[in-house]
Each structure stands twice: as C-alpha cells, then as structure tokens.
Amino acid sequence: MEENDHSQPHEVLAIFAQNSVMIVEYQHKTFTIQRYPKTGNRSLRAWSAADEFLLDVLADENIQKRKMIIANDRFGFLSTLLHNHEPFTVMSYRSQEKACALNLTENKLRINKSLWVKPLEQWPEKIDIGVIKIPKSLELYRYYLHELSQVLTEDGVIYAAFMTRFFSPKMVSIANEYFEEVEQTQAWKKSRLLILKKKKPLPQYNFIRKIEAGDEIMLSNYPGVFSAHSVDTASKLLIDNLQLSENDKRVLDLASGNGILAAVISKKFPSIEMHLLDDFLLAVESSKLNLSGNCHFHYNDNLDDFEPGFFDKIVSNPPFHFEYETNIEVALSIFKGASRCLKPEGIFQVVANRHLNYKTHLVKLFDGVEIIAENDKFIVYNCSKPVTDRPV
Ligand SMILES: C[S@@+](CC[C@H](N)C(=O)[O-])C[C@H]1O[C@@H](n2cnc3c(N)ncnc32)[C@H](O)[C@@H]1O
C-alpha cells in the first residue's frame, strides 16, 4: 500500500478465481464476473482497484432513488454490481455491450437496453451521480465530463476513478474547467478518486480534430479515436504498399479507426465497394464523417456477420493496445475472421510492429504469407490462400 493510503474500505470485496471467472462479493451479494472477449492471460482482469474504490464510496452514499450514469465500464463490472440501482451505462464499444450482457446474464440479472446510452446521442436528463473510470484518452474523459455536466443536477456529484500510476495533472485541470469543486482523495490500493461538485457554465469545446492525411484527404476524428492528431506511421507504411486494382470489387478495412485506409482506397478506386469495421463507436462515427459513396460501416468487434469468402481484399492495421493493456489476442481472433471471409484468391494485407512476430500466427491461417515491406519498426504482410480446413 502507498504511505498515504486511506483507511480500509468499508465494503470489502471477497474475490476468488475459478478459471477465467472471478467470484465477487459486494454488499452481501455474490456475483460472477468475466471478461469478453475471453483472455488466456491470467494477469488481465475485468476491473481494477479503482473500480473497487468507486463501489466503496458509493456504498457509503445514499444512492437509493438517485439517478446514476456510469462511463467507461469496459467489462460491465460496475453496471453488474450496481444493477439494483438501475444505473445508465455509456456504451462506447460493441465488445463492452457484449461483456455487459454476458455478466448480467450469467448473474441472472435483467438486461435493460433502455439504460444503455450512446455517445453522440442525447444523454438522460437530471442525473444525480456520475461515475467515470477515467479512460486513457483524456479527450474522451473530457467528452464524458462535458456530456455529464450538461445533464447533472445542480447538487449532483461525479466520481472519477483512476490508478495512481496513470495519473496525469490534466485529469484535474480538465475537471477544473467544468466544476468549482474538484477534490482528490487519498490513495487506496494505488487508486484515487476525483470528486467533482458545483458545475461551472459549460465551456465551449470543439471535440472534432481534423488531420491531413495527404493526397487532399482530410480526416475528422471524434475523441478517443486512434491516431486522431496525426497519421500513424504503421498506417503510412501500409498505405505506401497497398496492392489494389479495379478488379477488386469488395474490400474490407478491418479495425478501421477514422477510416484512413478506406479513404485512400476509395479515392483511388471509387468503384470498389468499401466496408469498414471497428469496435469503437466514435471511430465508426468518425469514419462516417470521412467517407461517402460506395461505403458500408459496421460497428462490431468481429467478422461473424459476413459470409465466408465475402471479400476480395482485406486491409488492416490491427489493434494491440487496449487502454493501458497490451494484448494480441484480439488481433489473432480478427485474423481468423479475415481468413474465413477472404475469397480463396484474395489477399489480406496487414501491418504490424516487428516485435509482435505475427508471421508465426498468420501461417496457421494462410498458406501464403509474404513480407512485402518493412522498416526498423513495422512489417507489411501479404497473406494469401486462406486455409479452409483449419481447426475451429
Ligand atoms: C491501430 S488502430 C488502426 C486504425 C486505422 N485503421 C488506422 O490505420 O489509423 C486499431 C483499431 O482497432 C479497433 N479495434 C479494437 N478492437 C477491435 C475489434 N475487436 N474489432 C474491430 N476493431 C477493433 C480500435 O478501435 C482501433 O480503431
């Protein structure tokens, strides 16, 4: 514990692990909690001490009959444990919706989708308590605060939690722009809370960042979108080595972010039917601002909605950072989807950091895996001949 840790929490969570499912006790009730997608990495958890700290403080508050909204609850941990208070939950990721639904179902709790709130849509009015797990993107944190402060009652309160090792003074300075009172608690189990009260007049803020992507392509980005301030260097390498032609009828930009790869392809070959798929709603919405014409947008975390052999080409700069975690399991799972949804004569072009050594994984899914470009940091692979009889 840190030296200045505050006293023991009043609500102790008893936690045991059974395979990948954790058993948690909160306020004399027992819950099972798991991650979606599942992970083989036992060190990755569905929540942190910052979530426990939030629950502890909320247990002390009289939250009965007070309207609550939770933001950035990636695996539905808070929404599940606080279910009897019927909190609203801001759903920013398709995988978050699935994780939340899984945990509620496994605990035999009702899924009430009318309590799911989407960014960019009108948030419910007269919120008494806002609960935020501060996201890594401080633009996204600001966006949640901005939305919340508009619907918070005059005597409402926001609890924003973070792990102390990820603290940035900007977390406080941004909060100060929206609230008169910003109190920072002492640490508990290396986590802290910011407690925000007394709204200030809403500051003006333009949340859309515009960047030049070359070739007269301008890209708009909502908060939290990957590489919203400049074009990513891995994406650049892939763009310089894209291999498409007029004969490609249907192409997928897999993990499309702001849609940069699709925008470059569509500009060069307007007749191609472009599909873009991303797990993050604000990424999909950004790409809708950036592309028009023969484009289809898919808000999803996998390729299950596509028929086998649906695409002539698939291009991707896949994810491996999730908030503060590094994890290649998601990339490997979408590679499987790419292999299934590619035509037998199609090509999957993927760029990745050298150290991830994706070739060892790609050769299990494609009979042809070739390096077509590389530099000291990144590699572009061309994957052909998808394996059809691979183990499921
Ligand atoms: C490295 S970024 C690439 C974005 C864009 N293609 C570019 O080059 O700038 C990876 C993207 O994967 C998205 N992502 C994360 N998990 C995903 C999943 N399971 N399915 C689809 N997209 C996912 C992230 O939201 C992010 O936009």
Side-chain angles (χ1 to χ4, degrees):
M1 279 200 188
E2 287 187 354
E3 237 175 75
N4 58 348
D5 268 8
H6 89 165
S7 57
Q8 268 306 101
H10 313 286
E11 292 299 317
V12 181
L13 294 155
I15 297 165
F16 322 90
Q18 258 178 12
N19 301 321
S20 57
V21 179
M22 304 288 274
I23 298 166
V24 187
E25 274 175 29
Y26 180 58
Q27 296 196 310
H28 316 295
K29 289 198 190 103
T30 303
F31 300 86
T32 61
I33 296 291
Q34 54 194 302
R35 286 175 60 120
Y36 169 89
K38 281 200 190 322
T39 171
N41 182 341
R42 294 172 67 103
S43 69
L44 298 181
R45 299 252 309 265
W47 74 92
S48 68
D51 297 275
E52 292 176 30
F53 201 166
L54 282 168
L55 287 174
D56 184 45
V57 167
L58 291 170
D60 278 351
E61 278 256 348
N62 178 14
I63 56 175
Q64 296 298 336
K65 299 209 174 106
R66 295 179 74 196
K67 233 167 146 180
M68 189 194 302
I69 191 164
I70 304 171
N72 200 34
D73 184 26
R74 281 302 300 264
F75 300 103
F77 174 74
L78 295 170
S79 313
T80 302
L81 270 65
L82 293 167
H83 182 264
N84 63 337
H85 299 291
E86 301 191 320
F88 291 93
T89 304
V90 182
M91 291 293 186
S92 302
Y93 303 84
R94 186 63 89 202
S95 57
Q96 179 195 7
E97 291 180 9
K98 292 180 184 177
C100 207
L102 174 71
N103 281 315
L104 291 174
T105 308
E106 290 295 312
N107 286 285
K108 303 197 171 35
L109 299 171
R110 191 166 86 90
I111 300 172
N112 181 355
K113 289 195 181 173
S114 68
L115 296 174
W116 292 7
V117 177
K118 284 189 173 157
L120 304 181
E121 286 181 358
Q122 177 61 46
W123 288 23
E125 298 286 338
K126 299 204 176 85
I127 294 289
D128 301 301
I129 302 173
V131 176
I132 307 179
K133 239 315 250 326
I134 299 184
K136 185 175 179 190
S137 159
L138 295 183
E139 278 289 283
L140 190 56
Y141 163 61
R142 179 193 282 277
Y143 178 72
Y144 290 148
L145 274 189
H146 194 90
E147 293 303 301
L148 250 170
S149 71
Q150 291 174 70
V151 294
L152 199 71
T153 54
E154 285 311 315
D155 57 356
V157 55
I158 293 180
Y159 297 101
F162 59 92
M163 296 304 292
T164 50
R165 67 181 184 281
F166 303 135
F167 175 72
S168 151
K170 276 184 92 180
M171 291 176 181
V172 177
S173 63
I174 293 172
N176 274 319
E177 289 180 45
Y178 289 86
F179 291 88
E180 299 283 354
E181 280 182 22
V182 176
E183 180 203 337
Q184 188 171 170
T185 65
Q186 290 196 325
W188 173 74
K189 275 198 181 172
K190 301 192 164 92
S191 68
R192 279 175 203 256
L193 302 185
L194 297 179
I195 304 176
L196 321 181
K197 291 181 185 157
K198 295 200 181 137
K199 297 192 282 181
K200 285 185 176 172
L202 191 71
Q204 291 280 325
Y205 196 81
N206 180 5
F207 281 99
I208 298 185
R209 293 268 160 276
K210 288 197 178 200
I211 55 167
E212 266 238 51
D215 209 10
E216 292 174 1
I217 295 174
M218 285 294 288
L219 297 173
S220 294
N221 298 275
Y222 283 118
V225 172
F226 175 78
S227 220
H229 294 272
S230 59
V231 177
D232 177 55
T233 41
S235 311
K236 254 188 210 148
L237 186 67
L238 179 54
I239 287 169
D240 291 342
N241 291 282
L242 284 172
Q243 294 179 355
L244 289 119
S245 77
E246 299 287 357
N247 298 331
D248 294 312
K249 299 229 166 353
R250 204 183 270 144
V251 175
L252 172 66
D253 178 353
L254 177 56
S256 47
N258 58 20
I260 179 166
L261 304 177
V264 170
I265 295 168
S266 282
K267 176 135 203 216
K268 205 159 176 202
F269 303 105
S271 65
I272 288 182
E273 178 183 303
M274 233 15 262
H275 290 253
L276 297 88
L277 180 141
D278 203 284
D279 182 37
F280 181 37
L281 185 69
L282 291 173
V284 177
E285 292 302 324
S286 303
S287 64
K288 286 183 185 168
L289 300 176
N290 299 327
L291 283 115
S292 54
N294 200 4
C295 294
H296 302 261
F297 301 91
H298 308 272
Y299 174 37
N300 211 346
D301 67 324
N302 61 42
L303 287 80
D304 290 357
D305 288 345
F306 301 115
E307 297 291 314
F310 193 67
F311 295 107
D312 299 285
K313 294 259 164 78
I314 301 178
V315 296
S316 189
N317 177 4
F320 78 102
H321 285 125
F322 301 86
E323 293 280 291
Y324 298 101
E325 292 176 9
T326 303
N327 175 358
I328 64 163
E329 289 169 316
V330 170
L332 299 186
S333 134
I334 60 177
F335 291 171
K336 274 192 194 155
S339 164
R340 185 184 67 82
C341 296
L342 195 65
K343 287 208 163 81
E345 64 283 9
I347 290 182
F348 173 42
Q349 289 202 278
V350 58
V351 65
N353 281 57
R354 298 192 81 84
H355 73 270
L356 295 174
N357 196 19
Y358 278 153
K359 189 163 183 181
T360 51
H361 304 283
L362 290 165
V363 290
K364 294 180 192 150
L365 301 168
F366 299 89
D367 278 338
V369 177
E370 200 191 332
I371 293 175
I372 58 151
E374 59 189 315
N375 59 28
D376 53 338
K377 272 186 89 178
F378 304 108
I379 298 182
V380 179
Y381 300 98
N382 264 17
C383 308
S384 57
K385 305 191 196 117
V387 175
T388 47
D389 59 347
R390 62 178 176 277
V392 196

mmCIF file of all heavy atoms in Angstrom, residues 213-247:
data_model
loop_
_atom_site.group_PDB
_atom_site.id
_atom_site.type_symbol
_atom_site.label_atom_id
_atom_site.label_comp_id
_atom_site.label_asym_id
_atom_site.label_seq_id
_atom_site.Cartn_x
_atom_site.Cartn_y
_atom_site.Cartn_z
ATOM 1 N N ALA A 213 -4.353 13.846 -44.303
ATOM 2 C CA ALA A 213 -3.787 12.508 -44.498
ATOM 3 C C ALA A 213 -3.100 12.405 -45.856
ATOM 4 O O ALA A 213 -2.878 11.312 -46.360
ATOM 5 C CB ALA A 213 -4.884 11.468 -44.357
ATOM 6 N N GLY A 214 -2.765 13.547 -46.460
ATOM 7 C CA GLY A 214 -2.095 13.533 -47.761
ATOM 8 C C GLY A 214 -3.100 13.316 -48.876
ATOM 9 O O GLY A 214 -4.269 12.954 -48.622
ATOM 10 N N ASP A 215 -2.656 13.536 -50.116
ATOM 11 C CA ASP A 215 -3.493 13.295 -51.278
ATOM 12 C C ASP A 215 -4.845 14.014 -51.165
ATOM 13 O O ASP A 215 -5.890 13.476 -51.545
ATOM 14 C CB ASP A 215 -3.721 11.773 -51.423
ATOM 15 C CG ASP A 215 -3.929 11.391 -52.878
ATOM 16 O OD1 ASP A 215 -3.713 12.253 -53.741
ATOM 17 O OD2 ASP A 215 -4.344 10.230 -53.116
ATOM 18 N N GLU A 216 -4.815 15.189 -50.534
ATOM 19 C CA GLU A 216 -6.014 16.015 -50.333
ATOM 20 C C GLU A 216 -7.105 15.297 -49.538
ATOM 21 O O GLU A 216 -8.291 15.559 -49.730
ATOM 22 C CB GLU A 216 -6.572 16.496 -51.675
ATOM 23 C CG GLU A 216 -5.628 17.475 -52.340
ATOM 24 C CD GLU A 216 -6.071 17.855 -53.732
ATOM 25 O OE1 GLU A 216 -7.124 17.384 -54.187
ATOM 26 O OE2 GLU A 216 -5.327 18.611 -54.366
ATOM 27 N N ILE A 217 -6.676 14.398 -48.652
ATOM 28 C CA ILE A 217 -7.673 13.730 -47.795
ATOM 29 C C ILE A 217 -7.615 14.372 -46.409
ATOM 30 O O ILE A 217 -6.558 14.413 -45.774
ATOM 31 C CB ILE A 217 -7.394 12.212 -47.698
ATOM 32 C CG1 ILE A 217 -7.573 11.573 -49.074
ATOM 33 C CG2 ILE A 217 -8.290 11.546 -46.666
ATOM 34 C CD1 ILE A 217 -7.193 10.101 -49.136
ATOM 35 N N MET A 218 -8.756 14.907 -45.959
ATOM 36 C CA MET A 218 -8.852 15.467 -44.602
ATOM 37 C C MET A 218 -9.668 14.481 -43.777
ATOM 38 O O MET A 218 -10.698 14.001 -44.243
ATOM 39 C CB MET A 218 -9.601 16.802 -44.613
ATOM 40 C CG MET A 218 -8.812 17.968 -45.139
ATOM 41 S SD MET A 218 -7.406 18.382 -44.089
ATOM 42 C CE MET A 218 -8.216 19.103 -42.693
ATOM 43 N N LEU A 219 -9.203 14.219 -42.549
ATOM 44 C CA LEU A 219 -9.927 13.259 -41.722
ATOM 45 C C LEU A 219 -10.399 13.909 -40.430
ATOM 46 O O LEU A 219 -9.611 14.566 -39.732
ATOM 47 C CB LEU A 219 -9.026 12.073 -41.380
ATOM 48 C CG LEU A 219 -8.557 11.230 -42.573
ATOM 49 C CD1 LEU A 219 -7.537 10.199 -42.116
ATOM 50 C CD2 LEU A 219 -9.742 10.533 -43.256
ATOM 51 N N SER A 220 -11.662 13.729 -40.105
ATOM 52 C CA SER A 220 -12.209 14.228 -38.842
ATOM 53 C C SER A 220 -12.203 13.093 -37.829
ATOM 54 O O SER A 220 -12.427 11.936 -38.185
ATOM 55 C CB SER A 220 -13.650 14.694 -39.034
ATOM 56 O OG SER A 220 -13.668 15.817 -39.871
ATOM 57 N N ASN A 221 -11.938 13.465 -36.586
ATOM 58 C CA ASN A 221 -11.842 12.453 -35.527
ATOM 59 C C ASN A 221 -12.604 12.895 -34.293
ATOM 60 O O ASN A 221 -12.344 13.970 -33.746
ATOM 61 C CB ASN A 221 -10.377 12.286 -35.099
ATOM 62 C CG ASN A 221 -9.491 11.794 -36.212
ATOM 63 O OD1 ASN A 221 -9.388 10.610 -36.448
ATOM 64 N ND2 ASN A 221 -8.850 12.731 -36.919
ATOM 65 N N TYR A 222 -13.508 12.042 -33.828
ATOM 66 C CA TYR A 222 -14.140 12.273 -32.526
ATOM 67 C C TYR A 222 -13.142 11.873 -31.436
ATOM 68 O O TYR A 222 -12.137 11.190 -31.708
ATOM 69 C CB TYR A 222 -15.411 11.426 -32.406
ATOM 70 C CG TYR A 222 -16.588 11.972 -33.173
ATOM 71 C CD1 TYR A 222 -17.172 11.253 -34.207
ATOM 72 C CD2 TYR A 222 -17.125 13.218 -32.850
ATOM 73 C CE1 TYR A 222 -18.273 11.752 -34.902
ATOM 74 C CE2 TYR A 222 -18.220 13.718 -33.554
ATOM 75 C CZ TYR A 222 -18.782 12.987 -34.568
ATOM 76 O OH TYR A 222 -19.861 13.481 -35.252
ATOM 77 N N PRO A 223 -13.417 12.261 -30.175
ATOM 78 C CA PRO A 223 -12.464 11.956 -29.099
ATOM 79 C C PRO A 223 -12.193 10.467 -28.938
ATOM 80 O O PRO A 223 -13.103 9.641 -29.069
ATOM 81 C CB PRO A 223 -13.160 12.483 -27.839
ATOM 82 C CG PRO A 223 -14.269 13.324 -28.288
ATOM 83 C CD PRO A 223 -14.583 13.021 -29.704
ATOM 84 N N GLY A 224 -10.935 10.158 -28.649
ATOM 85 C CA GLY A 224 -10.548 8.787 -28.318
ATOM 86 C C GLY A 224 -10.228 7.931 -29.524
ATOM 87 O O GLY A 224 -9.843 6.763 -29.371
ATOM 88 N N VAL A 225 -10.363 8.489 -30.725
ATOM 89 C CA VAL A 225 -10.096 7.686 -31.925
ATOM 90 C C VAL A 225 -8.585 7.557 -32.130
ATOM 91 O O VAL A 225 -7.839 8.512 -31.892
ATOM 92 C CB VAL A 225 -10.787 8.331 -33.154
ATOM 93 C CG1 VAL A 225 -10.374 7.645 -34.441
ATOM 94 C CG2 VAL A 225 -12.302 8.249 -32.971
ATOM 95 N N PHE A 226 -8.167 6.389 -32.553
ATOM 96 C CA PHE A 226 -6.744 6.094 -32.751
ATOM 97 C C PHE A 226 -6.098 7.111 -33.693
ATOM 98 O O PHE A 226 -6.648 7.421 -34.750
ATOM 99 C CB PHE A 226 -6.610 4.679 -33.326
ATOM 100 C CG PHE A 226 -5.195 4.292 -33.695
ATOM 101 C CD1 PHE A 226 -4.283 3.917 -32.726
ATOM 102 C CD2 PHE A 226 -4.789 4.319 -35.018
ATOM 103 C CE1 PHE A 226 -2.991 3.570 -33.066
ATOM 104 C CE2 PHE A 226 -3.492 3.973 -35.367
ATOM 105 C CZ PHE A 226 -2.599 3.594 -34.392
ATOM 106 N N SER A 227 -4.932 7.607 -33.284
ATOM 107 C CA SER A 227 -4.128 8.486 -34.135
ATOM 108 C C SER A 227 -4.934 9.683 -34.660
ATOM 109 O O SER A 227 -4.896 10.002 -35.847
ATOM 110 C CB SER A 227 -3.560 7.668 -35.306
ATOM 111 O OG SER A 227 -2.240 8.051 -35.557
ATOM 112 N N ALA A 228 -5.621 10.335 -33.721
ATOM 113 C CA ALA A 228 -6.506 11.450 -34.100
ATOM 114 C C ALA A 228 -5.732 12.729 -34.379
ATOM 115 O O ALA A 228 -6.279 13.680 -34.924
ATOM 116 C CB ALA A 228 -7.528 11.701 -32.992
ATOM 117 N N HIS A 229 -4.445 12.765 -34.007
ATOM 118 C CA HIS A 229 -3.678 14.012 -34.174
ATOM 119 C C HIS A 229 -2.705 13.969 -35.343
ATOM 120 O O HIS A 229 -2.211 15.000 -35.784
ATOM 121 C CB HIS A 229 -2.924 14.358 -32.877
ATOM 122 C CG HIS A 229 -3.878 14.676 -31.764
ATOM 123 N ND1 HIS A 229 -4.357 15.935 -31.550
ATOM 124 C CD2 HIS A 229 -4.479 13.876 -30.858
ATOM 125 C CE1 HIS A 229 -5.209 15.909 -30.541
ATOM 126 N NE2 HIS A 229 -5.299 14.671 -30.106
ATOM 127 N N SER A 230 -2.417 12.770 -35.832
ATOM 128 C CA SER A 230 -1.533 12.652 -36.999
ATOM 129 C C SER A 230 -1.699 11.244 -37.564
ATOM 130 O O SER A 230 -2.195 10.356 -36.860
ATOM 131 C CB SER A 230 -0.071 12.841 -36.586
ATOM 132 O OG SER A 230 0.256 11.870 -35.629
ATOM 133 N N VAL A 231 -1.266 11.054 -38.795
ATOM 134 C CA VAL A 231 -1.400 9.720 -39.390
ATOM 135 C C VAL A 231 -0.361 8.795 -38.746
ATOM 136 O O VAL A 231 0.814 9.153 -38.618
ATOM 137 C CB VAL A 231 -1.189 9.787 -40.916
ATOM 138 C CG1 VAL A 231 -1.260 8.396 -41.532
ATOM 139 C CG2 VAL A 231 -2.234 10.697 -41.549
ATOM 140 N N ASP A 232 -0.793 7.632 -38.331
ATOM 141 C CA ASP A 232 0.085 6.653 -37.685
ATOM 142 C C ASP A 232 1.164 6.173 -38.665
ATOM 143 O O ASP A 232 0.878 5.982 -39.854
ATOM 144 C CB ASP A 232 -0.801 5.478 -37.237
ATOM 145 C CG ASP A 232 -0.009 4.358 -36.613
ATOM 146 O OD1 ASP A 232 0.733 4.625 -35.666
ATOM 147 O OD2 ASP A 232 -0.142 3.205 -37.094
ATOM 148 N N THR A 233 2.385 5.957 -38.153
ATOM 149 C CA THR A 233 3.470 5.595 -39.078
ATOM 150 C C THR A 233 3.282 4.186 -39.659
ATOM 151 O O THR A 233 3.672 3.932 -40.802
ATOM 152 C CB THR A 233 4.854 5.699 -38.409
ATOM 153 O OG1 THR A 233 4.751 5.179 -37.103
ATOM 154 C CG2 THR A 233 5.348 7.124 -38.336
ATOM 155 N N ALA A 234 2.665 3.295 -38.898
ATOM 156 C CA ALA A 234 2.395 1.950 -39.445
ATOM 157 C C ALA A 234 1.347 2.051 -40.563
ATOM 158 O O ALA A 234 1.496 1.427 -41.627
ATOM 159 C CB ALA A 234 1.905 1.016 -38.344
ATOM 160 N N SER A 235 0.312 2.853 -40.327
ATOM 161 C CA SER A 235 -0.719 3.033 -41.368
ATOM 162 C C SER A 235 -0.071 3.586 -42.639
ATOM 163 O O SER A 235 -0.410 3.155 -43.751
ATOM 164 C CB SER A 235 -1.820 3.997 -40.917
ATOM 165 O OG SER A 235 -2.279 3.654 -39.643
ATOM 166 N N LYS A 236 0.871 4.534 -42.460
ATOM 167 C CA LYS A 236 1.545 5.135 -43.623
ATOM 168 C C LYS A 236 2.265 4.075 -44.436
ATOM 169 O O LYS A 236 2.196 4.057 -45.675
ATOM 170 C CB LYS A 236 2.600 6.144 -43.128
ATOM 171 C CG LYS A 236 2.189 7.572 -43.327
ATOM 172 C CD LYS A 236 3.362 8.494 -43.006
ATOM 173 C CE LYS A 236 2.830 9.802 -42.501
ATOM 174 N NZ LYS A 236 3.664 10.466 -41.531
ATOM 175 N N LEU A 237 2.984 3.180 -43.743
ATOM 176 C CA LEU A 237 3.732 2.137 -44.449
ATOM 177 C C LEU A 237 2.775 1.239 -45.236
ATOM 178 O O LEU A 237 3.053 0.866 -46.385
ATOM 179 C CB LEU A 237 4.557 1.305 -43.449
ATOM 180 C CG LEU A 237 5.487 0.276 -44.068
ATOM 181 C CD1 LEU A 237 6.622 0.942 -44.850
ATOM 182 C CD2 LEU A 237 6.086 -0.655 -42.999
ATOM 183 N N LEU A 238 1.643 0.915 -44.608
ATOM 184 C CA LEU A 238 0.673 0.070 -45.322
ATOM 185 C C LEU A 238 0.107 0.821 -46.534
ATOM 186 O O LEU A 238 0.005 0.247 -47.637
ATOM 187 C CB LEU A 238 -0.452 -0.360 -44.360
ATOM 188 C CG LEU A 238 -1.568 -1.223 -44.941
ATOM 189 C CD1 LEU A 238 -1.016 -2.465 -45.635
ATOM 190 C CD2 LEU A 238 -2.552 -1.659 -43.859
ATOM 191 N N ILE A 239 -0.211 2.098 -46.346
ATOM 192 C CA ILE A 239 -0.778 2.895 -47.461
ATOM 193 C C ILE A 239 0.204 2.901 -48.640
ATOM 194 O O ILE A 239 -0.186 2.714 -49.798
ATOM 195 C CB ILE A 239 -1.094 4.334 -46.979
ATOM 196 C CG1 ILE A 239 -2.321 4.311 -46.074
ATOM 197 C CG2 ILE A 239 -1.300 5.290 -48.165
ATOM 198 C CD1 ILE A 239 -2.590 5.595 -45.313
ATOM 199 N N ASP A 240 1.499 3.069 -48.333
ATOM 200 C CA ASP A 240 2.501 3.118 -49.416
ATOM 201 C C ASP A 240 2.627 1.778 -50.132
ATOM 202 O O ASP A 240 3.225 1.698 -51.210
ATOM 203 C CB ASP A 240 3.878 3.499 -48.847
ATOM 204 C CG ASP A 240 3.888 4.951 -48.386
ATOM 205 O OD1 ASP A 240 2.995 5.706 -48.818
ATOM 206 O OD2 ASP A 240 4.771 5.314 -47.584
ATOM 207 N N ASN A 241 2.109 0.708 -49.524
ATOM 208 C CA ASN A 241 2.285 -0.619 -50.124
ATOM 209 C C ASN A 241 0.966 -1.342 -50.410
ATOM 210 O O ASN A 241 0.952 -2.561 -50.570
ATOM 211 C CB ASN A 241 3.158 -1.479 -49.196
ATOM 212 C CG ASN A 241 4.580 -0.965 -49.165
ATOM 213 O OD1 ASN A 241 5.342 -1.217 -50.096
ATOM 214 N ND2 ASN A 241 4.926 -0.204 -48.137
ATOM 215 N N LEU A 242 -0.127 -0.563 -50.453
ATOM 216 C CA LEU A 242 -1.423 -1.183 -50.747
ATOM 217 C C LEU A 242 -1.404 -1.749 -52.162
ATOM 218 O O LEU A 242 -0.869 -1.119 -53.082
ATOM 219 C CB LEU A 242 -2.548 -0.142 -50.634
ATOM 220 C CG LEU A 242 -2.965 0.237 -49.211
ATOM 221 C CD1 LEU A 242 -3.937 1.417 -49.231
ATOM 222 C CD2 LEU A 242 -3.580 -0.950 -48.468
ATOM 223 N N GLN A 243 -1.961 -2.939 -52.320
ATOM 224 C CA GLN A 243 -1.989 -3.565 -53.654
ATOM 225 C C GLN A 243 -3.432 -3.829 -54.036
ATOM 226 O O GLN A 243 -3.972 -4.886 -53.748
ATOM 227 C CB GLN A 243 -1.191 -4.867 -53.644
ATOM 228 C CG GLN A 243 0.291 -4.621 -53.408
ATOM 229 C CD GLN A 243 1.102 -5.906 -53.369
ATOM 230 O OE1 GLN A 243 0.561 -7.006 -53.423
ATOM 231 N NE2 GLN A 243 2.412 -5.758 -53.256
ATOM 232 N N LEU A 244 -4.052 -2.817 -54.642
ATOM 233 C CA LEU A 244 -5.446 -2.969 -55.065
ATOM 234 C C LEU A 244 -5.558 -2.653 -56.539
ATOM 235 O O LEU A 244 -4.680 -2.001 -57.103
ATOM 236 C CB LEU A 244 -6.342 -2.025 -54.251
ATOM 237 C CG LEU A 244 -6.464 -2.512 -52.807
ATOM 238 C CD1 LEU A 244 -5.922 -1.493 -51.860
ATOM 239 C CD2 LEU A 244 -7.884 -2.874 -52.483
ATOM 240 N N SER A 245 -6.657 -3.092 -57.128
ATOM 241 C CA SER A 245 -6.851 -2.788 -58.542
ATOM 242 C C SER A 245 -8.346 -2.632 -58.819
ATOM 243 O O SER A 245 -9.180 -2.902 -57.953
ATOM 244 C CB SER A 245 -6.287 -3.915 -59.406
ATOM 245 O OG SER A 245 -7.193 -4.992 -59.384
ATOM 246 N N GLU A 246 -8.650 -2.213 -60.046
ATOM 247 C CA GLU A 246 -10.053 -2.056 -60.470
ATOM 248 C C GLU A 246 -10.816 -3.372 -60.329
ATOM 249 O O GLU A 246 -12.031 -3.372 -60.194
ATOM 250 C CB GLU A 246 -10.121 -1.636 -61.959
ATOM 251 C CG GLU A 246 -9.449 -0.319 -62.270
ATOM 252 C CD GLU A 246 -10.248 0.880 -61.751
ATOM 253 O OE1 GLU A 246 -11.349 0.659 -61.213
ATOM 254 O OE2 GLU A 246 -9.751 2.007 -61.875
ATOM 255 N N ASN A 247 -10.086 -4.495 -60.380
ATOM 256 C CA ASN A 247 -10.768 -5.802 -60.330
ATOM 257 C C ASN A 247 -11.269 -6.166 -58.930
ATOM 258 O O ASN A 247 -12.049 -7.101 -58.775
ATOM 259 C CB ASN A 247 -9.822 -6.918 -60.799
ATOM 260 C CG ASN A 247 -9.409 -6.681 -62.221
ATOM 261 O OD1 ASN A 247 -10.163 -6.081 -62.986
ATOM 262 N ND2 ASN A 247 -8.202 -7.116 -62.568
#
